[in-house]
Amino acid sequence: MEHSVRIRVRYAETDQMRFAHHSVYVVWFEMARIELMRGLGLNYAQMEKDGYLLPVLEVGIRYRKPAFFDDELQISAKFAQLAGARLRIQYTVTKNGTLIAEGFSVHAFMNAQGRPIRPPVFFVNAIKRQSEV
């Protein structure tokens, strides 16, 4: 499953060179990741209330072309791998259909005490249901 969000680069997200600052891509990835989960019927806020946490273990980004103030971008996220307690999500950022950045994040399922746990059954089932469509 893949889910996309559209954003417009805000002036505050640009640097002195007028490029979208490299750090905002991680924020955009998070926006797409949350919407990806919502598209599966998973509410991340509720998951946290229920004691399931998904901290980021690793993130990587390859910047291909700059984005500028007021550019309209599409950020797409898709589940790439679910293995044990780890979840990998792939991202692409496009402008007018042109790839400008791509990346990934790796997360671990943890309980409220900070211990690694297997993904909850409802999470695995939501992914399975989507892959059957």
Side-chain angles (χ1 to χ4, degrees), residues 45-60:
Q46 186 61 50
M47 285 177 56
E48 284 189 337
K49 288 178 188 172
D50 294 340
Y52 300 103
L53 307 175
L54 274 171
V56 175
L57 300 179
E58 182 180 358
V59 70

Side-chain angles (χ1 to χ4, degrees), residues 95-114:
K95 179 172 66 174
N96 299 323
T98 300
L99 180 66
I100 66 167
E102 57 191 337
F104 69 92
S105 60
V106 178
H107 307 261
F109 282 91
M110 295 175 64
N111 63 21
Q113 292 73 41

